Amino acid sequence: MANVSLLAADGVNPKASILGKVGGGERSAMNQMVMHVTHSDVPLTADTYILGKLPVGAAVVNAFWIVKTAFTNGIDFGITNSSGAAGTDGDVNIIMDDATVANHTVGVYRADKGIHASNNYAGHLCITDSYIQASPAADLSAGDGTLVVEYIETL
């Protein structure tokens, strides 16, 4: 039996041929998209707001919503197509569903801790162009928070 090294010539890092599509540094498998959101960014319940684009093949594994200043109402966060509709590759509240938890008060909310309608966030695989979107449950006049979406960019 042979002990086959898949390390690069430096003897520390993996060979380039086996590295996944990931962010810099130590080539961690986890990527994060961080978005600072205020009430003036997403003010109207009648509108859907596109916050960021996820690469095709991204496996969304978790998300955090950190509210620093209370919002006047909650916000649904989901994955949609570019027009803000669920389309074939999304769900308008798959990341966080305000109907399940009032995510507008000061605190930290995690997608994997029962704050989706199904009470068990299983993640989402983006098989087409996918966008992170926000939909306020009612018109907003106050609030400040940060949304962090964690994903693995698959090969």
Side-chain angles (χ1 to χ4, degrees):
M1 179 167 76
N3 182 15
V4 179
S5 174
L6 296 177
L7 295 177
D10 65 6
V12 176
N13 295 304
K15 288 181 181 178
S17 63
I18 67 168
L19 290 176
K21 294 181 177 180
V22 295
E26 292 271 320
R27 298 265 183 190
S28 165
M30 193 68 64
N31 290 286
Q32 294 180 329
M33 187 177 297
V34 180
M35 296 145 283
H36 178 232
V37 180
T38 68
H39 71 281
S40 60
D41 296 322
V42 293
L44 303 175
T45 189
D47 295 331
T48 299
Y49 302 90
I50 302 296
L51 303 178
K53 182 178 182 182
L54 294 163
V56 174
V60 178
V61 295
N62 203 1
F64 299 88
W65 175 229
I66 301 121
V67 178
K68 295 179 282 187
T69 303
F71 283 82
T72 49
N73 214 305
I75 303 172
D76 289 339
F77 294 102
I79 298 173
T80 65
N81 60 23
S82 61
S83 66
T88 58
D89 188 34
D91 182 336
V92 296
N93 65 1
I94 195 164
I95 295 174
M96 290 187 193
D97 184 355
D98 177 61
T100 303
V101 64
N103 65 1
H104 64 283
T105 59
V106 173
V108 178
Y109 303 90
R110 292 176 48 174
D112 66 349
K113 292 295 181 190
I115 57 176
H116 181 260
S118 66
N119 290 323
N120 57 353
Y121 182 73
H124 180 81
L125 180 61
C126 301
I127 56 173
T128 62
D129 285 339
S130 300
Y131 298 83
I132 299 168
Q133 67 87 32
S135 298
D139 291 354
L140 300 176
S141 59
D144 186 320
T146 300
L147 179 66
V148 179
V149 176
E150 294 183 331
Y151 66 94
I152 298 169
E153 194 170 349
T154 60
L155 299 174

